Amino acid sequence: MSDRLITLLLIDEDTVFRLGLVTALLNQPSLQVLVQTDTFSEIEHCLKTTPPDLVVIDPLFPRGSLSGWALLAELRRTYPDQKICLLTASLEYDRLLNARSKGVEGYFAKGTAIADLISGFRRIAEGNSEWKSLRPITDTSQFSPAQQWLWRLFASGLRQIQSQLIPIQNSLAEPGLSDFERLFLQGQQRELKTAQWLVQRLMPQQFRWRYQIQPTDRPARSARVPRPEPGALTSSPESSNLSVFDGIFSQSQNLTSFPLELDALTLLKRQELLTLTWQKTQTILSELKSLNITPEQLPKNRVVILSEIWQAVTLVFLGKYIDPKADYQLDSLQSLLESYKPIIQGESLANIPAIERVLDQLLFPNQDRNASGKKQEEDTITFNFYYLDNLIIQVANGVMVFILNYFSESENTKLALYDPTLHSSREIARFRNNLAWYYQLRYYWLKPKSIFESQHSLFHFTSQGIELVQVYAPRESELAQLRGIPWLMTLLLEFRDAVSPRLQAIIYFLGNGFVFVLTQVLGRAIGLIIKGVLQGIGSTWQDARYGSKQRQEKSNY
């Protein structure tokens, strides 16, 4: 086992450090660096073509809009079986503990001896872990009595804080909390985390680096969110086990500040709709592959493909819950969907970002996209899944747009699908009005702002729920096509960017001048006046005292 060749993928922004480490490892026949890079395309290509035994990464570097820590989280989420080790500057205890809780197998500080690195890399590749900085204190006999007392005091306090944090965090994760309850629990959580932070900072260094939360007190590890491979299109996705998708869609709570059409559903129905959307996407794309569709046909048919997915999902999802006698027959529902399809295409599906790119990656995952001379700068680890998540969520939202428009007052549909808080006609009307306001805000402000900032706002799945992420994307052609109010909003943003720094400078200058006038002019003037008043009072008191003394002397005389 010790003679087995261990392959490495070295990720670090410091090219000099990478070169030095690779040179030092050249004399080790049992270790081979496959790729040393800091670009996402090379990382993804290496992990897909020749997966290494160990990924060695320095997460302390920025890269565009994605930090090294975010890349580390995405690697762990996308490749859950890949062994990962940190090789970076000295990290604080909190970061080390968080990295280990995410599934990272080891950590070495830069400057560690090459011999120790080699043996550590081999141990991690063979299935062990390397967390020397997180070794718990099990023997306190070497401590002085004062140190033992301090250790028991700090460890007991931190365990108590952690034991109180866990039930609060579990309560906050439960749906259906009132605004008051959520605010109250969040306040308690902030207080406990502040106390925890203070205790850890006051802890002596020899304790802080070696303190470890006991297994019984350790918070539950966040479940990784698995992703199906883009090219894994089965022949009959409907027959696949739904548990494969539970990890993706089980946490579908809306964590953004914007309303989503999916919010009208209960959590279970929301999960079912999202799973069905992905399954139908697989089915239709599998059919397209069997028809030998070519990449050249995608640009003209991308919206048509999405509309077919939307129609299939809507028909199956509604067919399970509508009452044919009270609502619609399935054949009439099919014709209704056909008539509504152009509307949903123009207002929703056509506005989903990068449809062609996502479909291209799902249909032709192994194609060399650079052979045609196109530079795919966004073809990164994060691109695949952020845009794919957004596509699934937006298609599911389109299904709910149709349901809310045609079945918002159907009692059977409300009882079967809607969240209990939306059963009344008033709450449904309020929910739809909030959506209408959001549509206007998105059209007149959010979308022009994203175009002007060269970004896409994408909904994506996390282990806690649905969140919003901003991803860089060139959008100059869309910016040139803006007209009317959206175009005016971009001018207002540009005007604000041009005026704001100067206005802040003027306000700062006037503020300093105002402070100078108050302190140096008015303050001194008022000080002189008060000083004169005090002197006058003092003189009057002295005169009065002197006159009284003279009158007393005359009377004695």
Side-chain angles (χ1 to χ4, degrees), residues 526-542:
I526 293 173
L528 291 173
I529 292 173
I530 294 175
K531 184 177 181 180
V533 170
L534 291 177
Q535 288 178 349
I537 293 174
S539 300
T540 304
W541 182 75
Q542 290 290 343

Side-chain angles (χ1 to χ4, degrees), residues 252-264 270 390 393-394 397 431 433-447 449-450 453 455-460 465-470:
S252 54
Q253 301 179 57
N254 182 9
L255 303 180
T256 71
S257 58
F258 305 112
L260 292 176
E261 292 83 353
L262 287 169
D263 296 342
R270 201 179 305 171
N390 184 70
I393 293 170
Q394 295 290 21
N397 279 334
F431 180 78
N433 288 333
N434 288 337
L435 285 175
W437 279 107
Y438 169 63
Y439 295 155
Q440 300 301 316
L441 176 67
R442 182 178 61 187
Y443 178 76
Y444 289 111
W445 173 248
L446 297 178
K447 183 179 178 180
K449 184 173 180 289
S450 294
E453 294 176 349
Q455 291 180 340
H456 280 311
S457 298
L458 306 176
F459 295 103
H460 74 108
I466 297 175
E467 295 184 356
L468 196 66
V469 64
Q470 306 294 333

Side-chain angles (χ1 to χ4, degrees), residues 119-185:
S119 59
F121 290 163
R122 178 166 292 282
R123 283 193 295 271
I124 294 174
E126 293 175 352
N128 301 310
S129 61
E130 284 290 319
W131 290 101
K132 294 181 180 179
S133 297
L134 289 179
R135 288 178 178 173
I137 296 177
T138 56
D139 182 15
T140 60
S141 59
Q142 74 274 20
F143 292 158
S144 65
Q147 288 176 326
Q148 292 181 10
W149 178 81
L150 276 176
W151 165 248
R152 288 194 296 269
L153 179 67
F154 280 109
S156 174
L158 286 171
R159 281 196 296 269
Q160 291 181 30
I161 294 173
Q162 190 66 31
S163 64
Q164 295 181 38
L165 262 176
I166 292 174
I168 292 176
Q169 291 171 342
N170 293 337
S171 299
L172 283 171
E174 296 177 359
L177 289 177
S178 66
D179 293 341
F180 175 78
E181 290 174 330
R182 187 170 297 280
L183 286 173
F184 179 75
L185 291 173

Side-chain angles (χ1 to χ4, degrees), residues 264-280:
L265 298 173
T266 63
L267 285 176
L268 289 178
K269 295 298 184 292
R270 201 179 305 171
Q271 178 183 353
E272 180 182 349
L273 176 57
L274 291 167
T275 303
L276 181 62
T277 303
W278 171 242
Q279 289 179 334
K280 287 299 178 183

Side-chain angles (χ1 to χ4, degrees), residues 61 116 155 183 204 228 251 284 286 309 311-312 365 369 424-425 436 461 501 505:
F61 71 88
D116 294 336
L183 286 173
Q251 296 296 334
I284 292 177
S286 296
I309 297 172
Q311 184 173 348
R369 294 174 176 83
S424 70
S425 299
F461 297 106

Side-chain angles (χ1 to χ4, degrees), residues 92-325:
E92 293 185 354
Y93 162 81
D94 294 340
R95 282 197 178 274
L96 289 175
L97 188 60
N98 182 59
R100 191 181 67 169
S101 68
K102 301 294 185 188
V104 177
E105 280 77 12
Y107 158 75
F108 296 95
K110 285 186 175 179
T112 303
I114 293 295
D116 294 336
L117 284 180
I118 294 171
S119 59
F121 290 163
R122 178 166 292 282
R123 283 193 295 271
I124 294 174
E126 293 175 352
N128 301 310
S129 61
E130 284 290 319
W131 290 101
K132 294 181 180 179
S133 297
L134 289 179
R135 288 178 178 173
I137 296 177
T138 56
D139 182 15
T140 60
S141 59
Q142 74 274 20
F143 292 158
S144 65
Q147 288 176 326
Q148 292 181 10
W149 178 81
L150 276 176
W151 165 248
R152 288 194 296 269
L153 179 67
F154 280 109
S156 174
L158 286 171
R159 281 196 296 269
Q160 291 181 30
I161 294 173
Q162 190 66 31
S163 64
Q164 295 181 38
L165 262 176
I166 292 174
I168 292 176
Q169 291 171 342
N170 293 337
S171 299
L172 283 171
E174 296 177 359
L177 289 177
S178 66
D179 293 341
F180 175 78
E181 290 174 330
R182 187 170 297 280
L183 286 173
F184 179 75
L185 291 173
Q186 287 174 344
Q188 287 186 318
Q189 184 184 44
R190 282 193 299 270
E191 292 173 0
L192 288 171
K193 285 188 174 181
T194 303
Q196 185 183 55
W197 182 86
L198 288 173
V199 172
Q200 289 177 349
R201 292 305 178 275
L202 292 173
M203 182 184 288
Q205 189 75 5
Q206 58 179 328
F207 294 162
R208 186 191 311 171
W209 285 92
R210 301 174 67 188
Y211 172 75
Q212 186 179 42
I213 299 174
Q214 300 301 319
T216 54
D217 298 331
R218 190 174 297 156
R221 177 175 171 176
S222 307
R224 300 189 191 115
V225 182
R227 292 292 199 282
E229 289 297 326
L233 300 178
T234 60
S235 58
S236 57
E238 289 82 7
S239 62
S240 61
N241 190 347
L242 287 184
S243 64
V244 175
F245 302 94
D246 287 345
I248 306 177
F249 306 130
S250 58
Q251 296 296 334
S252 54
Q253 301 179 57
N254 182 9
L255 303 180
T256 71
S257 58
F258 305 112
L260 292 176
E261 292 83 353
L262 287 169
D263 296 342
L265 298 173
T266 63
L267 285 176
L268 289 178
K269 295 298 184 292
R270 201 179 305 171
Q271 178 183 353
E272 180 182 349
L273 176 57
L274 291 167
T275 303
L276 181 62
T277 303
W278 171 242
Q279 289 179 334
K280 287 299 178 183
T281 302
Q282 287 185 297
T283 301
I284 292 177
L285 294 183
S286 296
E287 294 173 354
L288 291 173
K289 290 188 73 173
S290 64
L291 295 174
N292 296 323
I293 188 172
T294 62
E296 290 74 18
Q297 295 174 302
L298 278 181
K300 295 182 179 180
N301 298 296
R302 54 191 178 86
V303 179
V304 175
I305 295 172
L306 278 192
S307 62
E308 290 298 323
I309 297 172
W310 168 83
Q311 184 173 348
V313 174
T314 308
L315 191 61
V316 173
F317 189 66
L318 266 180
K320 294 176 59 177
Y321 297 107
I322 65 171
D323 185 352
K325 295 180 180 179

Side-chain angles (χ1 to χ4, degrees), residues 38-59:
D38 62 346
T39 61
F40 301 132
S41 57
E42 293 184 13
I43 295 170
E44 186 181 29
H45 182 265
C46 177
L47 291 172
K48 285 185 176 181
T49 56
T50 55
D53 295 311
L54 179 62
V55 173
V56 181
I57 180 173
D58 181 358

